[in-house]
């Protein structure tokens, strides 16, 4: 068995009366693409927020690459290589696509107190930024203000920004949210490429995409893990079919 | 060169010509008025770094001006007259105050941040009132200007005036470098989407604090200059009304443009001067005029003067 890169143990979170995460155990093996599926409100985004450090745990522990992360802040976990994307696009619309990605490069290379050299013409930022934009198919839009990009392009930018931080592991929260079928297909192809290089935790509603990409799948319902297994296990599990996939789905 | 920088150069050039105009029109008082304008321009510029670029609405910025001025006043009171002590001390004192105030207030945001910075400003004001050794409520007179030897005689108003203009020009230049650097772009990104910058791995608090300290230090320098101009410091320098004036200068002049706050300081203090001579209701008239400026251009005065810039920005550049 491969090493476990990210491990969550007995992670819980309550919002008032709602138990968004109910004693969740999750192990993601290095080099795999692990998908989390579940109906709306199952607690998938909440789990990502806890893993990435944006939300404190009510209880439980999180370790990453052999390090206890439970008490680390979001930026510290990102610097350790655990970097998330957002279900609701979170970029800087007032800057260009290239500037957005260059900031992510800057976050990784750690010289952000430099206040003399112009950043926009700095090749050590711009070149890797353009490479990441190219990887997600946005190279032609590098110098466009992000506010003027189409929805699918902003979703691609989300991923480019994560890649530019040179992460060890990607936490992707519904990267295909709101995309048309063409953009989705392109993104599936991109994720298939990225899974060769990165460990990925993928939250996704699109079942075809999940079954095409995932090595392992965890089904989350009402904040609880219903099942973790191979795509085959999940596809054939009667409880899952009933609770989430619905009759006849998953083919 | 971009239009904002051209406007900045023209503005500095205009200020540099004031003594010539004062001589030509036989209005020596103009030099005094515009020295004050340029000093407030420096203070407003410092506020623009955190207000315009980092989006931090500091409602207590006058405290740094007051601390800078009081540092000069108190050192002089104790017989220390060297300019090479006055100015570095004023900058260090206000930077340390900004470090302390920022470390606390930057843990909040929005209205809480405004209230906390306001509270710290008022603390400075009441502290100055309560220390009777340095004049308390009455303020403190300064015997003479900071001493830089015969090389730089600040008691000569012309020399002093051009020193202020050179400092303003240098700060504008440094400011343009800074806001386009890695640090500057990050500040702007934090303003628009701090959460994402955090998620990318930036300890955003640290960067905001650094900007806050730089801003406070520069404002302290403005205070030290002001003490040299007026040879008098008083608690009113730190009153919240002063902080409000600085905010108005930045907002009416044009946030996040650097040159805007300089224009804002010019307009504000000139209008105040002119209107105060015309009517006792000058604050109301001044308020109405500033409101019009803000309503007409979202980016204040600089936005109106650089109106064509918007069209250019919409096009891709690279
Ligand atoms: N900040 C919050 N405060 C209160 N309740 C919250 C908060 N965030 C999430 N919740 C609640 O927690 C539950 C889980 O929400 P979450 O966003 O994690 O679901 P999700 O699985 O990501 O759903 P979706 O598929 O719609 O993205 C929901 O009932 C939601 O209303
Ligand atoms: Mg979600």
């Amino acid at each position: 068995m491969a090493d476990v890169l990210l491990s969550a143990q007995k992670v819980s979170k309550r919002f008032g009366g709602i138990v968004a995460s109910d004693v969740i155990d999750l192990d993601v093996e290095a080099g795999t693409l692990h998908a989390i599926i579940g109906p709306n409100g199952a607690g998938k985004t909440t789990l990502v927020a806890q893993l990435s450090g944006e939300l404190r745990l009510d209880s439980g522990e999180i370790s990453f690459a052999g390090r206890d992360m439970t008490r680390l802040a979001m930026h510290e976990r990102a610097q350790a290589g655990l970097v998330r994307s957002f279900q609701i696009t979170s970029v800087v619309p007032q800057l260009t696509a290239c500037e957005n990605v260059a900031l992510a490069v800057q976050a990784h290379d750690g010289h952000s107190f430099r206040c003399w050299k112009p950043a926009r013409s700095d090749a050590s930022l711009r070149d890797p930024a353009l490479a990441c934009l190219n990887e997600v198919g946005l190279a032609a839009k590098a110098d466009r203000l992000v506010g003027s990009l189409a929805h699918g392009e902003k979703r691609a930018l989300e991923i480019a920004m994560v890649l530019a931080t040179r992460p060890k592991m990607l936490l992707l929260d519904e990267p295909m949210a709101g995309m048309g079928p063409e953009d989705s297909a392109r993104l599936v192809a991109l994720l298939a490429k990225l899974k060769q290089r990165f460990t990925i935790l993928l939250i996704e509603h699109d079942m075809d995409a999940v079954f095409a990409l995932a090595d392992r799948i965890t089904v989350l319902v009402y904040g609880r893990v219903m099942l973790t297994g191979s795509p085959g296990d999940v596809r054939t599990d009667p409880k899952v079919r009933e609770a989430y996939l619905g009759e006849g789905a998953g083919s | 060169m971009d239009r904002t920088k051209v406007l900045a150069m023209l503005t500095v050039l205009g200020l540099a010509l004031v003594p010539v105009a004062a001589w030509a029109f036989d209005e020596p008082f103009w030099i005094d008025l515009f020295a004050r304008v340029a000093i407030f321009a420096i203070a407003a510029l410092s506020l623009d770094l955190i207000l315009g670029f980092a989006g931090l609405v500091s409602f207590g910025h006058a405290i740094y001006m007051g601390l800078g001025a009081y540092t000069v006043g108190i050192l002089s009171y104790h017989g220390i007259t060297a300019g090479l002590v006055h100015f570095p001390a004023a900058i260090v004192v206000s930077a340390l105050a900004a470090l302390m105030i920022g470390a606390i207030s930057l843990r909040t945001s929005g209205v809480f941040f405004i209230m906390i910075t306001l509270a710290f400003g008022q603390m400075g004001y009441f502290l100055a009132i309560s220390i009777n050794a340095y004049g308390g409520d009455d303020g403190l007179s300064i015997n003479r200007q900071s001493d830089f030897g015969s090389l730089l005689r600040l008691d000569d108003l012309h020399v002093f005036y051009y020193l202020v203009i050179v400092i303003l020009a240098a700060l504008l230049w440094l400011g343009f470098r800074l806001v386009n650097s890695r640090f500057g772009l990050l500040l702007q990104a934090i303003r628009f989407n701090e959460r994402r910058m955090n998620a990318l791995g930036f300890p955003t608090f640290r960067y905001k604090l650094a900007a806050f300290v730089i801003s406070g230090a520069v404002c302290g320098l403005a205070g030290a200059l002001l003490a040299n101009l007026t040879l008098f410091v008083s608690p009113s320098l730190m009153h919240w009304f002063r902080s409000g004036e600085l905010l108005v200068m930045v907002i009416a002049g044009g946030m996040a443009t650097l040159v805007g706050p300089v224009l804002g300081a010019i307009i504000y203090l000139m209008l105040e001067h002119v209107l105060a001579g015309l009517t006792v209701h000058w604050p109301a008239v001044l308020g109405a005029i500033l409101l019009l400026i803000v309503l007409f251009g979202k980016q204040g005065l600089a936005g109106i003067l650089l109106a064509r810039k918007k069209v250019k920005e919409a096009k891709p550049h690279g």
Side-chain angles (χ1 to χ4, degrees):
Chain A
M1 201 180 92
D3 297 336
V4 171
L5 183 60
L6 174 72
S7 170
Q9 266 144 36
K10 300 196 167 49
V11 165
S12 295
K13 183 81 199 174
R14 258 174 183 286
F15 294 114
I18 299 167
V19 185
S21 309
D22 196 358
V23 213
I24 293 177
D25 284 316
L26 179 75
D27 283 337
V28 181
E29 287 173 16
T32 62
L33 190 149
H34 192 129
I36 295 186
I37 61 174
N40 290 105
K44 304 181 295 294
T45 298
T46 303
L47 181 60
V48 168
Q50 292 177 103
L51 294 173
S52 65
E54 186 172 26
L55 272 181
R56 295 273 150 217
L57 312 182
D58 288 350
S59 60
E61 280 174 16
I62 290 168
S63 70
F64 177 69
R67 244 173 102 190
D68 181 19
M69 296 264 141
T70 315
R71 259 158 290 280
L72 293 194
M74 178 152 66
H75 69 88
E76 292 169 310
R77 297 189 203 188
Q79 279 172 0
L82 183 62
V83 185
R84 72 171 291 191
S85 74
F86 289 83
Q87 178 175 1
I88 297 166
T89 308
S90 180
V91 292
V92 186
Q94 295 84 350
L95 300 180
T96 67
C98 188
E99 285 161 4
N100 270 271
V101 183
L103 280 161
V105 175
Q106 202 175 307
H108 172 259
D109 91 355
H111 293 290
S112 295
F113 277 114
R114 285 189 187 163
C115 51
W116 183 249
K117 202 171 152 192
R120 289 185 182 87
S121 55
D122 184 343
S124 69
L125 293 177
R126 194 172 160 84
D127 292 351
L130 286 176
C132 291
L133 283 171
N134 192 36
E135 185 147 27
V136 302
L138 266 187
K141 303 289 169 77
D143 293 313
R144 288 277 296 272
L145 287 180
V146 168
S148 72
L149 296 183
H151 177 76
E153 292 168 340
K154 286 184 190 153
R155 298 305 294 161
L157 180 65
E158 270 284 335
I159 311 244
M161 288 173 79
V162 174
L163 294 180
T165 64
R166 297 182 175 271
K168 285 199 186 78
M169 176 168 175
L170 281 50
L171 298 176
L172 303 178
D173 193 358
E174 299 200 28
M176 287 160 214
M179 274 190 173
E182 267 176 47
D183 285 336
S184 295
R186 210 171 305 139
L187 195 54
V188 170
L190 174 65
L191 291 177
K193 252 179 28 190
L194 293 178
K195 73 176 267 200
Q196 329 251 321
R197 278 159 49 203
F198 301 103
T199 307
I200 300 176
L201 185 72
L202 174 69
I203 315 288
E204 193 45 69
H205 268 307
D206 181 333
M207 284 308 117
D208 294 335
V210 167
F211 285 117
L213 292 164
D215 302 305
R216 280 186 93 66
I217 298 176
T218 292
V219 184
L220 210 60
V221 180
Y222 294 124
R224 280 173 185 264
V225 174
M226 175 179 268
L227 172 81
T228 294
S230 69
D233 298 341
V234 171
R235 206 194 291 265
T236 53
D237 188 277
K239 273 188 307 182
V240 175
R241 293 179 76 96
E242 193 185 330
Y244 183 51
L245 297 175
E247 282 312 307
S251 55
Chain B
M1 192 191 284
D2 76 66
R3 295 160 57 84
T4 315
K5 284 182 191 154
V6 173
L7 184 59
M9 282 172 78
L10 290 175
T11 306
V12 170
L13 193 68
L15 286 171
L17 290 175
V18 164
V20 180
W23 170 77
F25 291 91
D26 196 23
E27 294 273 10
F29 171 72
W30 286 0
I31 306 181
D32 197 78
L33 173 65
F34 276 88
R36 192 178 164 76
V37 164
I39 290 168
F40 273 89
I42 293 173
L45 182 67
S46 78
L47 180 57
D48 194 28
L49 177 67
I50 56 168
L51 174 64
F53 291 93
L56 302 167
V57 186
S58 166
F59 207 145
H61 220 58
I63 191 176
Y64 310 110
M65 214 170 176
L67 286 172
Y70 263 97
T71 303
V72 170
I74 290 171
L75 285 172
S76 299
Y77 178 81
H78 291 289
I80 300 164
T81 57
L84 288 177
V85 177
H86 283 181
F87 279 79
I91 291 171
V92 168
V93 166
S94 40
L96 286 176
L99 181 65
M100 191 204 74
I101 294 172
I104 295 168
S105 57
L106 286 170
R107 299 196 184 278
T108 66
S109 60
V111 176
F112 294 105
F113 181 80
I114 299 176
M115 297 310 288
I116 290 188
T117 49
L118 175 65
F120 274 115
Q122 287 300 88
M123 268 170 61
Y125 172 70
F126 287 113
L127 184 70
I129 285 185
S130 67
I131 301 182
N132 289 322
Y134 301 124
D137 212 358
D138 298 330
L140 180 64
S141 285
I142 301 169
N143 280 332
R144 49 183 298 252
Q145 278 85 0
S146 302
D147 183 5
F148 283 97
S150 55
L151 221 58
L152 194 66
R153 299 196 55 102
L154 299 191
D155 54 343
D156 179 331
L157 187 55
H158 283 89
V159 171
F160 178 74
Y161 184 80
Y162 281 106
L163 174 70
V164 174
I165 299 301
V166 166
I167 291 176
L168 174 62
L171 287 171
L172 271 170
W173 181 53
L174 290 170
F176 281 120
R177 297 288 314 200
L178 186 140
V179 301
N180 289 304
S181 70
R182 288 178 177 224
F183 180 59
L185 277 188
L186 175 57
L187 278 186
Q188 293 168 71
I190 288 174
R191 170 186 170 200
F192 294 124
N193 194 345
E194 176 163 10
R195 181 177 178 219
R196 186 62 195 254
M197 293 308 118
N198 237 308
L200 289 176
F202 287 114
T204 52
F205 177 82
R206 236 174 271 169
Y207 295 99
K208 289 193 291 183
L209 185 58
F212 202 84
V213 170
I214 293 171
S215 175
V218 172
C219 200
L221 169 62
L225 289 170
L226 190 65
N228 272 279
L229 177 70
T230 59
L231 291 182
F232 177 68
V233 293
S234 79
S236 68
L237 281 176
M238 288 186 259
H239 193 267
W240 68 265
F241 187 76
R242 287 269 161 227
S243 298
E245 281 182 324
L246 288 176
L247 282 170
V248 168
M249 288 175 193
V250 177
I251 294 167
M255 286 196 286
T257 59
L258 296 180
V259 64
V262 178
L263 296 171
I266 295 173
I267 284 292
Y268 186 92
L269 292 172
M270 274 177 66
L271 280 176
E272 182 189 67
H273 178 70
V274 171
L275 293 173
L278 293 179
T279 162
V280 288
H281 301 298
W282 65 268
V285 183
L286 181 60
I289 294 176
L290 294 169
L291 198 64
L292 282 178
I293 293 176
V294 175
L295 287 178
F296 266 96
K298 273 190 214 144
Q299 285 279 41
L301 215 53
I304 295 170
L305 292 173
L306 298 167
R308 228 157 46 84
K309 203 182 144 213
K310 289 249 157 50
V311 184
K312 263 179 74 183
E313 264 178 1
K315 280 191 293 185
H317 57 85

